[in-house]
Amino acid sequence: MTASIPGHYHGKGSPLFALYLKTAVLTILTLGIYRFWGKTRIRKYIWSATSGNNDSFEYTGTGLEKFLGFLIAIVVLAIYLGIVQMILFYFGLAVFGEPQSDIEALAQLAGIYITVFAAVPLFLFAQYRARRYRMARTRWRGLRFGMETGAWGYVLRAIGHYLLTFLTLGLLLPRQTFYLEKYMTDRTWYGDAKFVQVGKWTALYRGMKHIFIGVGLMIVGLAITAFTQSPAPILIFGIVGYFWALIGLVSYRIFSLNYLTRHKVLDKEVSFTSDASTAEVVGIYIVGSLAIAVLGAILGYIATTVVAGALAGLGTVAFEDLSNINFVVFLVPVLSYIIFFLLFGGLFLVLITQKVIAHVVSNVTVLNADHLDTIRQRAADKGADAEGFADALDVGAAV
Amino acid sequence: MSACSGRYFGGETGQRLTVQVDAFVNGTTLVIAHEDLPNGRLSWPFSELRALSDGARKDQLTLTLRADTSDDSALVETARLTIDDDPTIAVLRRHCPNLTKRDVGKGTVWKVVSRSAMALSAVAVMIFVIVPALADTMARLIPIEREVRWGKAVVAQIERAFGATELGALHCENPEGLAVLDAMVTRLTSGADVVYDLNVQVFNHPMVNAFAAPGGQVVIMRGLLDKASSAEEVAGVLAHEIGHVESRDVTRNGLRAAGSAGLLSLVFGDFAGGTVAVLVAEAALNASYTREAEAEADRYAHRMLETAQVSARGLATFFDVLSNEERGLEIPEYLSSHPATEGRAEAAKRVAQVQGSTRPILTEKEWSALKGICKKA
């Protein structure tokens, strides 16, 4: 065994695309029920494509347990959502009218914010539980990962950090990023070995460099416009600054991913390197978006034509005595809509998500890997609840 | 089959054993040999072998033993054997009958059925009992000013939807026509106990329709005036819409839809086409509620017409015209928000037959003024 283990990603585009299409069609045919199995199968593919030292990761989750978890979550959420949503709607009615006074305008604004923020704790809760579930269902070299319980603690901390970041106009974003990740990492295990997040949150400020430049450009543009009364500077500086800050945001995410990974320690012995590159990731997004636009247009055109043709044929044969015109007119837009989402989802997964995963994985190395041999299995995490809430609330994990 | 090497993880430690995977004893067992294994070897029967599914690596096969019966996947069998040797993989695929079989634990079916039943009944109780009851209560509790404001916003939205670039662009404001419309509303409501301050408007649009919005807002489309052959027909439709206003149907429906739409999107999830499923379900649900409300509004209209001494024959004629129109596109009743039109015409005719004395609601001159309400003064 070598002392360091580089990450490898073996996944290919076309098998994953085929798997996505297959599961998506089954999902539609089962009115959404197959989505739990579909997501599981895609994860199995991606996990098994990830390897170190030629030992693949394994995703042991099952669609069935996800479905069962979802059924439980739905009972709780049905009651919560049904009642809360209607009460909010009742008080939110003021939103529809023109405000008659400042106080009313403020009340409206408060109403809108409360409506949005009422769901935040649930989302954060689901987010932590979803990560815990994924960890509990991930194995490498036969050993389980795992995460301690602590979703409510995460909810409280996350809300606190969000408020701080908001009140400081984003200046404390690195603090939020660092401590939320530390909260989760410090509760994560591989076998009987514990992860610890070390490092300093202030070190993440270097990663914000390009966000600051972008925002700075926008402020400079605003200042020059205010001074010269000409709209050109704000336009030019504004647009350049906006895109600069946007790429700066990607750069920050990559920088913090690298920093946080390099400063994770497993069992006080094993450490990691991570050298993902912003340029590569931005490149994947740009090339991927262009390819999706072109491929999506071509495939979408072919698929819609075929469907419309098939339906027109059907309409004259099988649906002779029904008002077949209405039938076809109704079905074509619905099917086109479905086809559009299928193609977009599949292409995005293959051309962007998987490529980013591949890039990140290939740039991680496990150091001092010999120590891994001393790690033993951990007891299974019973009742990691299969993401029921996350599925019901559609908490946005890419895979 | 010749022997090859494989990578074995027992699941107790993270240590990798490079094992000797051997030809089978009597062709039914896989023998895994390594000095660190208990007794130096493991025997895995072919029928118990399972391969991990949906793997990305086509050049290798990862084997495990039949999972135990738990459906909690965190608890399943932990040992893994990965083989890279193509001929061996081919042989195993050919000779292991259950390689791709999914083992389902005992009691799984019952678990799925009982939990599905629980989830379905929770959603059903919410959608059919609790949400409508809450909507009903809230519709009665909502302050009238707020309801009026909401209604005006709804009317404004509809006006935009019908193509008004600025608000008021569709309003028909011929003063003579407005005066006649006013007189008609007064005549209809004089004997009735109407809670709302009615705000009846005509929109300049060819659609044959009329609708009520929350808080006493009623809109008649010009197409309906064009299509109607007598003022009594318009009065009948108006009385029907006032019926909706008075029973707060639209308010209640809006509140109910807000509650159930959220629940439905939860059930169907975010798959491609999920939005369509939610829309169809919501339309079917909505239709079943409004069918009752429509029948109730019809009965309200009948009473109002009787009290105001306006012949219900006009309403019957209008339904007849509508049902002729509908022949073109048959909408099944369960998807349509209105009861079958022919039945409604019959009901109105029966009322007309037993009705007391009636007098015309408008003079000929007033009727043509109303028809011209959208002309510029």
Side-chain angles (χ1 to χ4, degrees):
Chain A
M1 174 158 292
T2 46
S4 67
I5 300 178
H8 276 293
Y9 190 81
H10 305 267
K12 301 261 176 344
S14 47
L16 184 60
F17 188 69
L19 184 63
Y20 177 89
L21 273 194
K22 195 159 64 183
T23 56
V25 167
L26 281 170
T27 299
I28 292 169
L29 293 180
T30 55
L31 285 178
I33 291 175
Y34 195 76
R35 66 180 185 271
F36 308 103
W37 282 266
K39 204 167 191 177
T40 301
R41 294 183 65 179
I42 286 175
R43 282 187 188 164
K44 276 185 190 292
Y45 182 91
I46 291 174
W47 263 241
S48 72
T50 307
S51 78
N53 217 354
N54 215 12
D55 294 323
S56 296
F57 275 69
E58 183 188 343
Y59 182 73
T60 59
T62 65
L64 181 68
E65 68 183 1
K66 263 171 102 69
F67 180 55
L68 290 174
F70 169 77
L71 289 177
I72 295 209
I74 230 179
V75 175
V76 177
L77 285 174
I79 294 159
Y80 177 85
L81 265 190
I83 293 174
V84 167
Q85 195 171 17
M86 234 176 15
I87 292 172
L88 287 174
F89 186 68
Y90 174 82
F91 287 110
L93 289 185
V95 173
F96 291 107
E98 292 287 315
Q100 311 287 317
S101 66
D102 285 352
I103 294 173
E104 229 177 70
L106 268 179
Q108 275 188 16
L109 207 64
I112 295 172
Y113 279 117
I114 290 171
T115 314
V116 173
F117 287 127
V120 168
L122 265 183
F123 271 94
L124 291 168
F125 178 82
Q127 211 176 33
Y128 186 92
R129 294 284 280 254
R131 179 152 155 173
R132 178 162 182 255
Y133 172 74
R134 282 198 300 274
M135 284 295 172
R137 299 298 181 267
T138 300
R139 285 167 192 238
W140 187 50
R141 298 155 61 113
L143 298 186
R144 275 185 286 270
F145 285 80
M147 219 165 143
E148 297 163 15
T149 50
W152 287 117
Y154 179 75
V155 171
L156 287 177
R157 280 168 182 80
I159 290 176
H161 281 298
Y162 286 174
L163 281 177
L164 260 180
T165 303
F166 177 73
L167 290 177
T168 56
L169 301 174
L171 278 180
L172 285 185
L173 178 64
R175 197 170 181 276
Q176 169 190 321
T177 313
F178 182 82
Y179 280 112
L180 288 183
E181 180 59 32
K182 182 170 169 58
Y183 182 85
M184 293 199 273
T185 303
D186 288 355
R187 281 162 183 73
T188 304
W189 296 72
Y190 171 61
D192 61 354
K194 198 170 187 289
F195 280 96
V196 176
Q197 181 72 60
V198 297
K200 288 198 309 273
W201 66 272
T202 43
L204 292 182
Y205 272 117
R206 267 187 52 214
M208 284 184 83
K209 187 170 69 187
H210 293 287
I211 300 181
F212 287 137
I213 294 177
V215 172
L217 280 175
M218 286 192 266
I219 293 174
V220 168
L222 194 71
I224 300 178
T225 295
F227 192 68
T228 61
Q229 300 294 320
S230 131
I234 183 77
L235 271 177
I236 297 165
F237 279 89
I239 292 171
V240 173
Y242 176 77
F243 282 103
W244 200 301
L246 209 63
I247 291 176
L249 215 57
V250 180
S251 154
Y252 174 70
R253 288 201 56 181
I254 299 295
F255 182 89
S256 50
L257 173 85
N258 285 338
Y259 180 84
L260 292 166
T261 308
R262 282 180 203 140
H263 290 82
K264 281 184 191 5
V265 179
L266 177 63
D267 215 21
K268 300 191 185 106
E269 299 270 349
V270 183
S271 59
F272 308 86
T273 66
S274 175
D275 298 301
S277 119
T278 305
E280 288 251 7
V281 171
V282 170
I284 289 171
Y285 267 91
I286 291 173
V287 174
S289 310
L290 290 175
I292 288 173
V294 174
L295 276 176
I298 297 171
L299 290 176
Y301 176 76
I302 295 171
T304 331
T305 316
V306 169
V307 166
L311 276 179
L314 268 177
T316 52
V317 182
F319 297 97
E320 196 94 302
D321 42 353
L322 289 174
S323 45
N324 49 31
I325 305 294
N326 286 330
F327 180 72
V328 173
V329 165
F330 173 71
L331 268 189
V332 168
V334 170
L335 283 173
S336 317
Y337 165 86
I338 292 172
I339 289 169
F340 172 79
F341 269 91
L342 278 184
L343 288 177
F344 182 79
L347 289 174
F348 195 92
L349 176 66
V350 168
L351 294 175
I352 295 181
T353 311
Q354 179 169 246
K355 284 197 191 290
V356 171
I357 292 175
H359 173 71
V360 170
V361 167
S362 325
N363 283 286
V364 170
T365 307
V366 183
L367 303 176
N368 194 15
D370 289 340
H371 183 73
L372 293 176
D373 282 349
T374 66
I375 296 174
R376 303 187 63 81
Q377 184 66 288
R378 73 186 258 103
D381 296 286
K382 273 195 98 171
D385 70 349
E387 300 178 290
F389 286 93
D391 277 323
L393 291 170
D394 192 36
V395 174
V399 283
Chain B
M1 170 177 121
S2 58
C4 72
S5 71
R7 280 169 290 138
Y8 177 84
F9 289 102
E12 291 306 314
T13 68
Q15 198 170 9
R16 179 163 91 184
L17 300 183
T18 304
V19 294
Q20 187 80 8
V21 179
D22 231 325
F24 12 83
V25 183
N26 64 34
T28 56
T29 314
L30 192 67
V31 176
I32 303 162
H34 190 279
E35 56 188 15
D36 287 353
L37 288 168
N39 300 328
R41 55 187 277 160
L42 290 170
S43 298
W44 285 6
F46 275 9
S47 58
E48 304 283 285
L49 288 184
R50 301 289 183 272
L52 299 186
S53 61
D54 292 313
R57 306 282 299 268
K58 294 300 160 210
D59 55 340
Q60 51 178 232
L61 184 70
T62 302
L63 295 171
T64 176
L65 274 183
R66 183 167 71 99
D68 68 15
T69 49
S70 170
D71 67 298
D72 188 340
S73 61
L75 302 172
V76 298
E77 187 59 51
T78 49
R80 299 286 185 271
L81 172 70
T82 303
I83 297 171
D84 291 306
D85 183 54
D86 283 338
T88 311
I89 292 175
V91 168
L92 286 174
R93 281 196 193 284
R94 205 157 350 106
H95 291 285
C96 299
N98 301 322
L99 212 52
T100 55
K101 189 177 163 193
R102 300 292 144 72
D103 301 292
V104 180
K106 250 191 202 164
T108 302
V109 174
W110 168 244
K111 220 170 184 176
V112 170
V113 169
S114 62
R115 289 206 194 169
S116 302
M118 223 164 64
L120 278 178
S121 35
V123 172
V125 166
M126 285 305 296
I127 285 185
F128 293 109
V129 182
I130 297 179
V131 169
L134 267 176
D136 206 36
T137 316
M138 285 183 179
R140 261 181 281 126
L141 286 178
I142 184 171
I144 280 198
E145 322 82 74
R146 189 179 282 178
E147 200 184 346
V148 169
R149 224 186 301 151
W150 180 22
K152 285 191 170 149
V154 169
V155 171
Q157 266 175 12
I158 288 171
E159 197 180 345
R160 283 212 190 84
F162 277 115
T165 42
E166 55 185 306
L167 286 184
L170 284 184
H171 290 197
C172 293
E173 283 167 331
N174 184 296
E176 283 172 54
L178 284 180
V180 174
L181 187 62
D182 238 22
M184 186 185 254
V185 174
T186 313
R187 163 94 181 267
L188 283 172
T189 54
S190 58
D193 188 16
V194 178
V195 181
Y196 286 92
D197 216 1
L198 291 173
N199 179 15
V200 183
Q201 313 175 54
V202 178
F203 278 3
N204 194 358
H205 193 274
M207 192 179 206
V208 184
N209 206 352
F211 60 87
Q217 311 294 318
V218 176
V219 175
I220 299 174
M221 299 298 200
R222 194 201 70 226
L224 189 136
L225 297 179
D226 296 345
K227 192 93 190 172
S229 49
S230 76
E232 272 71 16
E233 292 181 25
V234 179
V237 173
L238 200 51
H240 171 92
E241 298 306 333
I242 295 173
H244 280 314
V245 166
E246 283 296 294
S247 58
R248 302 191 156 195
D249 283 333
V250 190
T251 311
R252 188 178 301 113
N253 236 353
L255 288 167
R256 191 196 53 70
S260 53
L263 286 177
L264 286 173
S265 61
L266 191 78
V267 174
F268 286 109
D270 181 39
F271 70 100
T275 319
V276 178
V278 171
L279 285 179
V280 170
E282 177 56 33
L285 203 59
N286 191 35
S288 76
Y289 283 104
T290 44
R291 264 203 312 277
E292 276 166 48
E294 291 300 329
E296 182 52 42
D298 277 354
R299 284 191 287 277
Y300 182 95
H302 299 158
R303 286 196 298 277
M304 179 172 254
L305 292 174
E306 275 192 83
T307 317
Q309 297 187 329
V310 177
S311 170
R313 211 166 289 282
L315 190 58
T317 318
F318 186 74
F319 283 140
D320 278 338
V321 173
L322 267 193
S323 92
N324 284 336
E325 292 265 301
E326 277 172 12
R327 291 264 154 72
L329 86 187
E330 289 282 344
I331 306 169
E333 195 172 339
Y334 56 85
L335 269 184
S336 153
S337 62
H338 287 59
T341 320
E342 284 153 47
R344 304 173 72 189
E346 287 308 314
K349 273 178 204 151
R350 274 197 299 280
V351 173
Q353 270 159 18
V354 297
Q355 199 171 16
S357 67
T358 58
R359 54 203 168 85
I361 189 157
L362 297 182
T363 63
E364 273 308 313
K365 198 170 160 244
E366 283 172 325
W367 174 224
S368 57
L370 182 57
K371 279 191 158 239
I373 194 169
C374 293
K375 284 189 194 123
K376 292 269 177 285

